[in-house]
């Protein structure tokens, strides 16, 4: 469980985050989404006890991050942005060292288990310096999982991984998220969409939107959009579609597909299909286009007045 | 305390993978070895066993003094990367979010470097043992022990200063040069004004000079102010190092 209340952090005169309040509950994966420099890392550093906030408080796993920092640190697994590792240690030696620092009673077993979890068991005796970026990231993740923490905080967990590894790491995170609290930051929107139960969009140190990915989409899109592909010249059909009651706009895209918009809640696709068939066109494809999270994100971060 | 020990043992092992640490060990052993051979050569040439019975060649001249001098460079070289490198590699973030108190981190880092030099000093003990068999009636073990004690205390203080400076700087070369300057001032520069100052002030400056106390210990005299001085300097270094970590967190 993570509960942040009014977190503010100043670096000298620059305010990195301002009055951030949010919660993440057990069994929930919460995504921090925002452009670089939005304050994601700063917030995570406060929650992990790396540095105190200028104002505000936060509880992690039931303990105050300032007053009971040690208790918090014992219960949190943290993967910093750069997956910091000691190059001159072996993978196993490194995990054993971290396990010792956490006073784990069976450090060897825990290290083995964490390595197994990220699929790196066969590289246990190799030196970290010889690992690829993706492997380093996985060792960083193994380090965060080592002590089976109640709360997992991951700063850009899939950055620098190849597509197969991304899938692998996301699978691991999803498994962990079933029982524990996971807070992860990303600027890959599809990742947030796939992984997170809830998304916090953060821009210039403020939360500009907070909801589940699908709700965010529904809430922020004023209209639903759909596409229609027919055989032959679509231009002839455009006029009849525009005439259908409830259609707000309809255009023929350069690729010959008709894209039309209608008010949310009233699905006009059957109506459009009937019109096309009636007009003598062969229907090839009828699809829905939601506003992608990318668009929502750009919308929100371009103009931070939205959602305030 | 257990955490400090975990940090210290990792650091100690890292020294055996580090070229800098090998160079330090090599130079200390080389200087001591060369001086030892020269000493033995002079003993043979003069063949004055009686002369040496009065003033046996001291362990101080062979091991303690040259090592104390080399330490001006060796201590910064060994401590420069202790925390600066952790910062550069980003691993400091890892340590500072582990259940590890700031003082345990600093103390552990210092302890690792201290144990490394103690290991090197243990190797130098071969020389006094050999020397003991060559001179009659043997070397003065009391003087030797006092000399080694002085060297160990001096080492503790230098390494603590280096550890503290390393935790202030993000660049290990900056740490090296800053530590070198501080050690040179304490060893050498600080007593320059003593000649022109009134007696009390001059004595005060001399007592702040790291060489004053090791000099008396090399002569076999362990003084209370020497012990207090080196131990205070060590504690001050470790304290400032811890403060530097706290400052890092707040800014």
């Amino acid at each position: 469980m993570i509960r942040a209340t009014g977190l503010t952090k100043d670096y000298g005169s620059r305010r990195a985050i301002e009055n951030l309040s949010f919660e993440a509950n057990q069994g929930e994966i919460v995504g921090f989404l925002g452009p670089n420099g939005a304050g994601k890392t700063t917030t995570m550093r406060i929650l992990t006890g790396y540095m105190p906030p200028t104002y505000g408080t936060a509880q992690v796993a039931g303990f105050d991050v300032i007053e009971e920092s040690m208790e918090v640190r014992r219960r949190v697994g943290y993967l910093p942005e750069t997956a910091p590792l000691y190059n001159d240690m072996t993978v196993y030696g490194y995990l054993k060292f971290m396990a010792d620092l956490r006073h784990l009673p069976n450090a060897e077993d825990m290290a083995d288990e964490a390595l197994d979890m990220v699929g790196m068991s066969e590289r246990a005796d190799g030196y970290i310096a010889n690992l690829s970026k993706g492997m380093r990231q996985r060792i960083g993740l193994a380090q965060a999982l080592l002590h089976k923490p109640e709360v997992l905080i991951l700063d850009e967990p899939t950055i620098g991984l190849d597509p197969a590894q991304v899938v692998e790491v996301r699978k691991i995170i999803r498994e962990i998220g079933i029982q524990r609290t996971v807070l992860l930051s990303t600027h890959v929107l599809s990742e947030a969409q796939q992984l997170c139960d809830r998304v916090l969009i953060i821009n210039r140190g403020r939360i500009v939107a907070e909801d589940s990915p699908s709700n965010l989409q529904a809430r922020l899109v004023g209209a639903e959009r759909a596409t229609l592909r027919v055989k032959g010249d679509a231009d002839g059909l455009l006029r009849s579609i525009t005439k259908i009651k409830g259609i707000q706009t309809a255009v023929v895209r350069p690729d010959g597909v008709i894209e039309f918009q209608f008010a949310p809640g009233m699905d006009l696709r059957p109506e459009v299909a009937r019109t096309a068939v009636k007009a003598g066109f062969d229907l090839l494809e009828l699809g829905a286009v939601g506003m992608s999270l990318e668009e929502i994100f750009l919308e929100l971060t371009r103009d931070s007045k939205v959602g305030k | 305390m257990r955490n400090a020990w975990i940090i210290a043992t990792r650091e100690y092992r890292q020294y055996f993978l580090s070229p800098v640490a090998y160079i330090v060990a090599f130079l200390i052993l080389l200087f001591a070895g060369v001086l030892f051979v020269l000493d033995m050569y002079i003993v043979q040439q003069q063949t004055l066993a009686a002369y040496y019975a009065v003033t046996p060649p001291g362990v101080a001249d062979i091991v303690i003094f040259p090592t104390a001098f080399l330490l001006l460079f060796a201590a910064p070289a060994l401590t420069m990367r202790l925390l600066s490198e952790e910062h550069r590699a980003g691993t400091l973030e890892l340590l500072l979010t582990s259940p590890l108190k700031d003082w345990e981190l600093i103390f552990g880092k210092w302890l690792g470097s201290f144990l490394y030099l103690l290991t090197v000093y243990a190797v130098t003990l071969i020389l006094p043992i050999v020397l003991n068999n060559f001179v009659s009636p043997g070397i003065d073990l009391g003087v030797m022990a006092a000399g080694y004690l002085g060297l160990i205390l001096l080492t503790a203080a230098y390494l603590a200063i280096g550890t503290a400076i390393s935790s202030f700087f993000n660049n290990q070369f900056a740490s090296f040069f800053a530590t070198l300057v501080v050690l040179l001032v304490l060893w050498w520069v600080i007593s320059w004004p003593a000649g022109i100052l009134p007696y009390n002030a001059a004595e005060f400056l001399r007592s702040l000079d790291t060489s004053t106390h090791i000099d008396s210990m090399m002569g076999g005299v362990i003084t209370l102010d020497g012990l207090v001085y080196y131990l205070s300097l060590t504690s001050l270094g470790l304290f400032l190092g811890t403060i530097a970590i706290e400052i890092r967190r707040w800014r």
Side-chain angles (χ1 to χ4, degrees):
Chain A
M1 188 273 311
I2 300 171
R3 182 179 294 123
T5 320
L7 286 186
T8 301
K9 177 77 188 179
D10 295 333
Y11 293 115
S13 61
R14 195 176 72 81
R15 181 151 287 187
I17 55 171
E18 183 160 4
N19 206 13
L20 284 194
S21 300
F22 61 90
E23 270 183 44
N25 298 312
Q26 200 185 338
E28 199 177 26
I29 303 179
V30 174
F32 246 160
L33 209 60
N36 293 331
K40 292 171 291 182
T41 299
T42 300
T43 311
M44 291 188 156
R45 284 181 165 175
I46 291 171
L47 295 176
T48 51
Y50 178 72
M51 59 187 183
T54 313
Y55 308 105
T57 57
Q59 275 90 42
V60 174
F63 293 93
D64 188 280
V65 291
I66 310 163
E67 303 296 327
E68 298 155 308
S69 179
M70 285 299 155
E71 297 301 319
V72 170
R73 290 191 224 169
R74 260 178 219 128
R75 289 167 176 78
V76 172
Y78 178 38
L79 172 65
E81 205 173 350
T82 49
L85 309 170
Y86 294 103
N87 283 333
D88 43 15
M89 289 180 107
T90 63
V91 169
Y92 189 76
Y94 167 74
L95 289 177
K96 175 81 169 46
F97 170 66
M98 295 309 293
D100 284 342
L101 269 186
R102 293 192 173 277
H103 300 183
L104 301 183
N106 40 354
E108 279 92 356
D109 298 345
M110 300 292 250
D112 280 336
E113 211 173 307
L115 272 178
D116 198 42
M117 218 164 181
V118 299
M120 289 287 294
S121 300
E122 73 277 15
R123 298 299 290 263
D125 297 321
Y127 277 93
I128 289 174
N130 303 332
L131 297 183
S132 70
K133 177 89 172 76
M135 289 177 176
R136 295 175 65 92
Q137 194 73 14
R138 283 197 275 171
I139 300 303
L141 192 61
Q143 170 275 128
L145 297 173
L146 199 54
H147 50 298
K148 302 193 166 63
E150 286 171 48
V151 176
L152 202 60
I153 296 183
L154 310 170
D155 202 350
E156 309 256 358
T158 56
I159 201 166
L161 300 181
D162 67 39
Q165 292 165 337
V166 167
V167 171
E168 195 63 31
V169 166
R170 282 184 192 157
K171 199 176 128 230
I172 297 169
I173 294 172
R174 218 174 286 125
E175 275 162 21
I176 299 160
I178 296 170
Q179 286 173 32
R180 301 160 207 275
T181 312
V182 179
L183 177 68
L184 60 91
S185 76
T186 177
H187 55 243
V188 184
L189 297 130
S190 60
E191 180 162 295
Q193 219 154 5
Q194 288 177 31
L195 268 183
C196 303
D197 302 309
R198 211 142 46 79
V199 173
L200 305 171
I201 296 184
I202 171 169
N203 189 38
R204 292 195 206 137
R206 292 163 177 278
I207 293 177
V208 291
E210 173 184 353
D211 217 328
S212 71
S214 52
N215 280 357
L216 264 184
Q217 223 160 318
R219 203 180 78 197
L220 283 146
V221 182
E224 274 185 56
R225 273 187 291 174
T227 54
L228 172 74
R229 188 194 289 276
V230 291
K231 206 170 178 180
D233 184 20
D235 287 314
L237 182 61
L238 190 62
R239 187 185 297 250
S240 10
I241 288 180
T242 332
K243 277 187 193 146
I244 298 170
K245 198 166 161 250
I247 294 283
Q248 294 170 342
T249 57
V251 289
V252 179
R253 292 201 315 221
D255 59 354
V257 172
I258 299 177
E259 190 174 309
F260 53 96
Q261 267 190 23
F262 47 88
M266 51 181 303
D267 195 343
L268 288 178
R269 279 177 295 175
E271 190 68 39
V272 170
R274 268 196 298 276
T275 310
V277 173
K278 221 183 281 171
F281 284 88
D282 289 335
L283 194 65
L284 293 180
E285 192 184 311
L286 187 63
V289 219
M291 187 177 180
S292 71
L293 209 51
E294 260 92 355
E295 288 170 275
I296 298 170
F297 178 73
L298 285 175
E299 194 62 41
L300 285 169
T301 51
R302 189 187 309 132
D303 181 7
S304 34
K305 273 175 251 159
V306 181
K308 239 191 229 175
Chain B
M1 204 57 205
R2 181 174 158 192
N3 286 331
W5 183 249
I6 294 164
I7 296 286
T9 47
R10 194 192 83 84
E11 214 56 54
Y12 181 77
R13 280 193 212 117
Q14 290 317 101
Y15 278 120
F16 290 95
L17 301 171
S18 145
V20 172
Y22 276 105
I23 292 170
V24 165
F26 173 73
L27 286 179
I28 289 175
L29 296 175
L30 180 76
F31 266 65
V34 167
L35 286 168
F36 173 77
V37 169
L38 282 178
D39 235 27
M40 294 307 287
Y41 179 72
I42 294 165
V43 172
Q44 275 190 332
Q45 289 297 301
Q46 299 187 332
T47 58
L48 288 172
Y51 171 75
Y52 283 105
V54 182
T55 54
V59 176
D61 307 319
I62 295 171
V63 180
I64 311 294
F65 181 77
T67 305
F69 176 73
L70 281 174
L71 212 50
L72 288 171
F73 306 92
L78 290 176
T79 56
M80 64 180 185
R81 44 166 283 283
L82 284 181
L83 288 126
S84 303
E85 178 60 18
E86 297 268 2
H87 178 272
R88 195 200 58 75
T91 42
L92 194 59
E93 187 165 353
L94 203 66
L95 295 176
L96 295 188
T97 54
S98 299
L100 166 74
K101 293 191 179 70
D102 293 351
W103 73 264
E104 291 174 323
L105 173 61
I106 292 295
F107 184 73
K109 287 282 184 182
W110 168 82
L111 187 61
S113 65
F114 186 56
L115 291 177
Y116 176 74
L117 277 182
L118 289 189
T119 310
V120 177
Y121 297 165
V123 178
T124 67
L125 282 173
I126 295 166
L127 301 176
I129 292 167
V130 173
L131 197 63
N132 198 33
N133 290 326
F134 272 88
V135 294
S136 163
I139 57 171
D140 187 333
L141 290 175
V143 173
M144 180 185 111
Y148 267 99
L149 178 67
L151 182 63
I152 288 168
L153 289 170
L154 182 75
T155 305
Y158 278 8
L159 293 174
I161 292 168
T163 307
I165 289 172
S166 179
S167 61
F168 274 102
F169 286 97
N170 295 342
N171 178 305
Q172 42 175 319
F173 297 102
S175 304
F176 177 84
F177 286 109
T179 308
L180 183 62
V181 167
V182 170
L183 296 187
L184 282 176
V185 166
L186 284 175
W187 172 263
W188 188 35
V189 181
I190 198 162
S191 45
W192 281 356
I196 53 163
L197 286 175
Y199 179 78
N200 284 339
E203 276 303 287
F204 176 68
L205 280 188
R206 280 198 196 97
S207 67
L208 287 183
D209 190 324
T210 46
S211 61
T212 311
H213 305 285
I214 186 101
D215 279 345
S216 66
M217 289 193 190
M218 279 192 295
V221 185
I222 301 170
T223 56
L224 184 63
D225 52 341
L227 289 177
V228 170
Y229 173 74
Y230 287 132
L231 292 177
S232 312
L233 210 53
T234 309
S235 321
L236 181 69
L238 297 177
F239 175 72
L240 289 178
T242 308
I243 296 289
I245 295 290
E246 311 251 312
I247 291 171
R248 264 177 201 282
R249 287 183 187 276
W250 282 95
R251 74 179 173 207

